Every structure is written in C-alpha cells, then in structure tokens.
Amino acid sequence: MTILDGKQTSTNIKNELKEEVQLRKEKGLKAPHLAAVIVGNDGASMTYVSSKVKACDFVGYDSTLIELPSETTEEELLNQISDLNNNPDIDGFIVQLPLPKHIDEQKVLLAVDPDKDVDGFHPTNVGKMTLNLSTFLPATPYGILELLERYEVETSGKNVVVIGRSHIVGSPMSILMSQKRPAGNATVTITHSRTKNLTEITREADIIVAALGKAEFLTGDMVKDGVTIIDVGITRVEDASKKRGYRLAGDVDFASVSPKAEFITPVPGGVGPMTIAMLLKNTMLACQRRND
Ligand code: NAD
C-alpha cells in the first residue's frame, strides 16, 4: 500500500512555484497577486482562507484578504467583486464559500471576471473545462489529477467510481477523468444520494473518489483488492480527547480500506493540501496570461 502524500506533493509544487516567482522577479516581472473575499466568520472557512494566504506568503505571491461582516448585502459584495475585477494589480481572486443565506451564490459566481476566476467556478470556465479547452480547473479535482499523475497511478481504461456530484468536486472530477488527458481516459461512473446498490458499483472500481462529506462512509467491504482510493471528505467529528474538541475525518474508513488499497490518500494530508497548491498554480497561470 502506498500513501498518496498530498502534503509532500503540495510542498513540492509550492517550491516549484516559488522558483518561478523568483525567475519572474529576476526578469523584472511582477509576482502573482491573489485576493480572497470572506463574508462572515465561519470557523472552517476562516481556516481555509488563512491557509491560502499563508501559502501565498510561502511562494512569494502578493495576497489581499478582504474580510466582510456577515450582514454584508448582496449588492455590497457585488460591488466588491466589481472592484476586484477592475483592479489591474489583482491577477485572480476567490470568494470563499459558503456565503450567508441572504446572498445568491450563483449571482456572485457569475459576477467574477472569468479571466480572474482562479477557482474555475464561472460557467465560462466550467464550459471550457467540459470541452477540454485550456482554463482554470477547479482546484480540488485539479489537485487529484496532479496527485495521480505524480505518483504515476494508471488511469487509462480503468473503472473509476466518483461518489458525490457536487459542482466543485464530484461533477468536474467525473468529467476530467473521462477526458483524453494525463490521469484521464478512464471509464467513469458518477454516483450520488439516489444511487441504488452503491456497494455493488464500488466493488467493481479500480479507483474510487469519495466526495460525499459523510465521515468514514466507505468501508473495507465496499472495495476490491488493489483499489486506489482518493478521499476528498473533511468532516469535523466531535472528539473530547482533542484540545479543540473535534478531529477531522475523511469519507473513507482508513482502517478497514487501506489494507486492500494499492494507493490511498490520508485525511488530513491528502487532497486538502493539494487543493491549495492548485489554486496557487491557477493564480500563476492568471498572472502569466494577464502580464506576460
Ligand atoms: P456536497 O455536500 O456539495 O455534495 C455531496 C454529494 O454527495 C451530493 O452530490 C450527494 O448526492 C452525495 N451523497 C450524499 N450522500 C450520499 C450517499 N449516501 N451515497 C452516495 N452519494 C451521496 O459535497 P462537496 O462540496 O463536494 O464536499 C464533499 C466533501 O468533501 C465534504 O466533506 C467537504 O468538506 C470535502 N471537500 C474537501 C475539499 C478538499 O480540499 N479536500 C474540497 C471540497 C470539499
């Protein structure tokens, strides 16, 4: 069994980006500049955003964090987005999800300039991704492709089962892995909450991408020997033995699944760190497109 070490791989990617920033500076070119907007003070969202800002510092990007109170109106947020769209110094930006209930998420995502949409959530970029045209790939699926590629996990002709059909993970993952590309060319089945006989389907899978957000859902009896497991889930599970009162659990029951797996991502330290590294990669691409 080989652990797909997302923490180490993301550090490698960040070091590569750091060198690229250095080279840009030597040539007199600007460093990439990422902005992040967060509305309200949801604990998990604040943790994600601060890791993104920290990662920018590490690679030498400029970063701007815009923290707005939870009472921010939709109009105020849209104005903020318009400012970021028009600010020539900002190469890319993200609006941390979820947003407070009184704000229409779709409206906000549509307002982001597709050329600065480094999360790859704008319909223009989703469309380009679907057509396999060059664009910003959504960071989590992009990170999974990169991890599979760097560990040389064979995907061509393999049976891939994706659990979950969200717009940010499951759906793009299934599209990308079915395309003609590195870490692609797979035969993909996408499953969701209405899927019947899930276990029969997962037992046939060579590769499983679990992205449903249910702690330790996928158990050893649901997989075959030699399977590759990508665990996207991050759920906070109460744990009185931990100082912070919870532990982070994946969608996979690591104890029963890992003995059967050829490759498996851990939680934490698997897909999570890769997501941040790929956001930085998208920001570098945005900067190159805008300035070079
Ligand atoms: P979501 O909550 O938007 O969607 C969950 C999906 O799972 C739905 O499509 C639903 O149909 C499906 N589902 C629910 N119960 C199911 C069942 N019993 N059988 C089969 N399918 C079922 O999910 P999301 O936003 O993609 O997030 C999923 C998990 O991944 C969450 O734990 C989230 O925190 C985590 N996540 C991690 C990263 C990362 O960087 N590691 C990024 C995004 C999301």
Side-chain angles (χ1 to χ4, degrees):
M1 185 257 293
T2 303
I3 297 277
L4 298 171
D5 186 342
K7 197 165 175 219
Q8 183 57 53
T9 310
S10 78
T11 302
N12 298 346
I13 294 169
K14 285 189 281 186
N15 282 327
E16 290 160 18
L17 290 169
K18 200 171 178 173
E19 270 179 39
E20 228 170 309
V21 174
Q22 212 45 50
L23 282 175
R24 289 184 67 78
K25 286 186 174 163
E26 282 164 22
K27 288 187 201 153
L29 297 168
K30 85 185 267 296
H33 188 165
L34 175 72
V37 184
I38 181 164
V39 186
N41 50 9
D42 173 71
S45 295
M46 304 255 278
T47 310
Y48 294 143
V49 169
S50 67
S51 329
K52 289 168 188 174
V53 171
K54 232 165 67 192
C56 282
D57 291 345
F58 178 83
V59 294
Y61 288 9
D62 295 324
S63 65
T64 300
L65 176 59
I66 299 165
E67 294 177 273
L68 302 174
S70 49
E71 318 79 73
T72 304
T73 64
E74 190 175 281
E75 195 189 348
E76 284 165 339
L77 180 58
L78 291 172
N79 286 337
Q80 180 64 69
I81 289 172
S82 166
D83 289 350
L84 290 168
N85 285 340
N86 295 320
N87 182 340
D89 193 51
I90 302 281
D91 296 303
F93 65 96
I94 58 160
V95 182
Q96 186 65 44
L97 302 178
L99 290 168
K101 289 211 162 47
H102 64 276
I103 298 178
D104 181 347
E105 221 162 82
Q106 275 309 313
K107 230 181 188 172
V108 170
L109 295 183
L110 274 169
V112 176
D113 178 349
D115 291 336
K116 293 192 176 187
D117 168 41
V118 285
D119 258 339
F121 292 164
H122 191 284
T124 297
N125 290 325
V126 177
K128 284 186 177 171
M129 175 201 71
T130 305
L131 296 171
N132 205 356
L133 301 172
S134 164
T135 188
F136 304 117
L137 298 181
T140 302
Y142 189 12
I144 294 170
L145 294 181
E146 191 78 17
L147 201 52
L148 291 168
E149 209 182 317
R150 289 194 184 219
Y151 276 88
E152 296 177 358
V153 177
E154 183 60 78
T155 59
S156 181
K158 299 291 179 188
N159 280 335
V160 173
V161 173
V162 178
I163 313 178
R165 58 179 164 188
S166 74
H167 290 165
I168 60 167
V169 189
S171 167
M173 197 67 239
S174 67
I175 294 167
L176 290 163
M177 289 201 75
S178 69
Q179 287 176 339
K180 194 170 178 180
R181 60 163 62 248
N185 294 318
T187 306
V188 182
T189 305
I190 183 160
T191 65
H192 44 78
S193 52
R194 304 288 176 93
T195 297
K196 295 202 170 82
N197 306 322
L198 183 65
T199 298
E200 278 172 29
I201 299 168
T202 53
R203 275 193 192 144
E204 295 296 313
D206 300 309
I207 300 172
I208 299 175
V209 180
L212 70 159
K214 295 204 165 139
E216 287 144 13
F217 175 87
L218 190 80
T219 47
D221 58 313
M222 297 173 76
V223 306
K224 70 174 182 185
D225 280 322
V227 69
T228 290
I229 299 286
I230 305 293
D231 188 354
V232 184
I234 309 175
T235 308
R236 289 182 176 192
V237 177
E238 264 185 53
D239 186 340
S241 72
K242 300 270 185 241
K243 217 167 118 192
R244 54 190 179 183
Y246 66 88
R247 67 183 171 89
L248 293 180
D251 286 345
V252 175
D253 177 37
F254 193 88
S256 65
V257 172
S258 60
K260 295 176 96 173
E262 187 177 355
F263 295 97
I264 186 165
T265 61
V267 176
V271 175
M274 289 302 291
T275 298
I276 296 183
M278 303 324 275
L279 174 69
L280 296 177
K281 243 177 134 59
N282 278 343
T283 307
M284 175 61 83
L285 176 66
C287 176
Q288 289 166 339
R289 280 184 177 172
R290 289 172 49 74
N291 302 293
D292 302 1

Tab-separated table of all heavy atoms in Angstrom, residues 25 30-35 56-57 60-64 89 283:
chain	number	residue	atom	x	y	z
A	25	LYS	N	10.803	37.622	-10.928
A	25	LYS	CA	11.350	38.841	-10.312
A	25	LYS	C	12.691	39.203	-10.950
A	25	LYS	O	12.961	40.374	-11.203
A	25	LYS	CB	11.472	38.646	-8.804
A	25	LYS	CG	10.104	38.710	-8.127
A	25	LYS	CD	10.197	38.674	-6.628
A	25	LYS	CE	8.816	38.879	-6.012
A	25	LYS	NZ	8.765	38.456	-4.601
A	30	LYS	N	6.169	41.089	-12.498
A	30	LYS	CA	5.507	41.143	-11.195
A	30	LYS	C	5.220	39.749	-10.631
A	30	LYS	O	5.086	38.776	-11.387
A	30	LYS	CB	4.208	41.968	-11.299
A	30	LYS	CG	3.007	41.190	-11.773
A	30	LYS	CD	1.805	42.085	-11.976
A	30	LYS	CE	0.872	42.208	-10.781
A	30	LYS	NZ	0.184	41.012	-10.346
A	31	ALA	N	5.120	39.685	-9.295
A	31	ALA	CA	4.699	38.431	-8.649
A	31	ALA	C	3.189	38.306	-8.803
A	31	ALA	O	2.475	39.316	-8.844
A	31	ALA	CB	5.075	38.463	-7.181
A	32	PRO	N	2.674	37.080	-8.882
A	32	PRO	CA	1.211	36.927	-8.928
A	32	PRO	C	0.557	37.510	-7.677
A	32	PRO	O	1.167	37.510	-6.597
A	32	PRO	CB	1.028	35.401	-8.970
A	32	PRO	CG	2.313	34.861	-9.487
A	32	PRO	CD	3.375	35.783	-8.982
A	33	HIS	N	-0.656	38.010	-7.847
A	33	HIS	CA	-1.390	38.612	-6.721
A	33	HIS	C	-2.768	37.959	-6.624
A	33	HIS	O	-3.580	38.068	-7.540
A	33	HIS	CB	-1.510	40.118	-6.950
A	33	HIS	CG	-2.077	40.864	-5.771
A	33	HIS	ND1	-1.990	42.231	-5.664
A	33	HIS	CD2	-2.715	40.449	-4.645
A	33	HIS	CE1	-2.573	42.625	-4.526
A	33	HIS	NE2	-3.026	41.544	-3.894
A	34	LEU	N	-2.997	37.259	-5.506
A	34	LEU	CA	-4.280	36.588	-5.260
A	34	LEU	C	-5.055	37.341	-4.181
A	34	LEU	O	-4.478	37.705	-3.145
A	34	LEU	CB	-4.036	35.144	-4.787
A	34	LEU	CG	-5.279	34.335	-4.372
A	34	LEU	CD1	-6.115	33.941	-5.594
A	34	LEU	CD2	-4.883	33.063	-3.606
A	35	ALA	N	-6.323	37.571	-4.413
A	35	ALA	CA	-7.176	38.153	-3.368
A	35	ALA	C	-8.229	37.127	-2.957
A	35	ALA	O	-8.658	36.300	-3.772
A	35	ALA	CB	-7.843	39.427	-3.874
A	56	CYS	N	0.342	31.744	-0.054
A	56	CYS	CA	0.809	32.839	-0.925
A	56	CYS	C	2.127	33.399	-0.392
A	56	CYS	O	3.072	33.621	-1.159
A	56	CYS	CB	-0.216	33.975	-0.969
A	56	CYS	SG	-1.609	33.639	-2.031
A	57	ASP	N	2.184	33.623	0.916
A	57	ASP	CA	3.416	34.154	1.517
A	57	ASP	C	4.579	33.214	1.232
A	57	ASP	O	5.661	33.633	0.871
A	57	ASP	CB	3.265	34.286	3.048
A	57	ASP	CG	2.280	35.392	3.409
A	57	ASP	OD1	1.977	36.201	2.518
A	57	ASP	OD2	1.821	35.419	4.565
A	60	GLY	N	5.809	33.489	-2.292
A	60	GLY	CA	6.228	34.832	-2.701
A	60	GLY	C	5.197	35.583	-3.526
A	60	GLY	O	5.532	36.548	-4.215
A	61	TYR	N	3.935	35.144	-3.469
A	61	TYR	CA	2.870	35.892	-4.147
A	61	TYR	C	2.451	37.055	-3.252
A	61	TYR	O	2.585	36.996	-2.027
A	61	TYR	CB	1.604	35.037	-4.341
A	61	TYR	CG	1.653	33.935	-5.356
A	61	TYR	CD1	2.834	33.549	-5.975
A	61	TYR	CD2	0.486	33.259	-5.695
A	61	TYR	CE1	2.846	32.509	-6.906
A	61	TYR	CE2	0.486	32.223	-6.620
A	61	TYR	CZ	1.672	31.843	-7.219
A	61	TYR	OH	1.677	30.824	-8.111
A	62	ASP	N	1.875	38.076	-3.871
A	62	ASP	CA	1.180	39.100	-3.088
A	62	ASP	C	-0.207	38.558	-2.791
A	62	ASP	O	-0.784	37.828	-3.611
A	62	ASP	CB	1.045	40.401	-3.901
A	62	ASP	CG	2.406	41.010	-4.183
A	62	ASP	OD1	3.281	40.921	-3.310
A	62	ASP	OD2	2.594	41.548	-5.297
A	63	SER	N	-0.743	38.900	-1.624
A	63	SER	CA	-2.107	38.447	-1.326
A	63	SER	C	-2.876	39.554	-0.616
A	63	SER	O	-2.289	40.385	0.075
A	63	SER	CB	-2.090	37.184	-0.464
A	63	SER	OG	-1.537	37.468	0.782
A	64	THR	N	-4.168	39.565	-0.836
A	64	THR	CA	-5.047	40.526	-0.179
A	64	THR	C	-6.223	39.763	0.387
A	64	THR	O	-6.874	38.997	-0.344
A	64	THR	CB	-5.571	41.570	-1.200
A	64	THR	OG1	-4.446	42.242	-1.760
A	64	THR	CG2	-6.491	42.584	-0.545
A	89	ASP	N	-3.969	45.319	-10.569
A	89	ASP	CA	-2.904	44.640	-9.828
A	89	ASP	C	-3.296	43.225	-9.387
A	89	ASP	O	-2.451	42.392	-9.084
A	89	ASP	CB	-2.523	45.484	-8.603
A	89	ASP	CG	-1.219	44.987	-8.006
A	89	ASP	OD1	-0.242	44.842	-8.781
A	89	ASP	OD2	-1.189	44.685	-6.795
A	283	THR	N	-3.382	30.697	-10.079
A	283	THR	CA	-3.070	32.122	-9.939
A	283	THR	C	-1.828	32.479	-10.761
A	283	THR	O	-1.761	33.555	-11.366
A	283	THR	CB	-2.879	32.483	-8.449
A	283	THR	OG1	-4.027	32.037	-7.730
A	283	THR	CG2	-2.703	33.976	-8.252
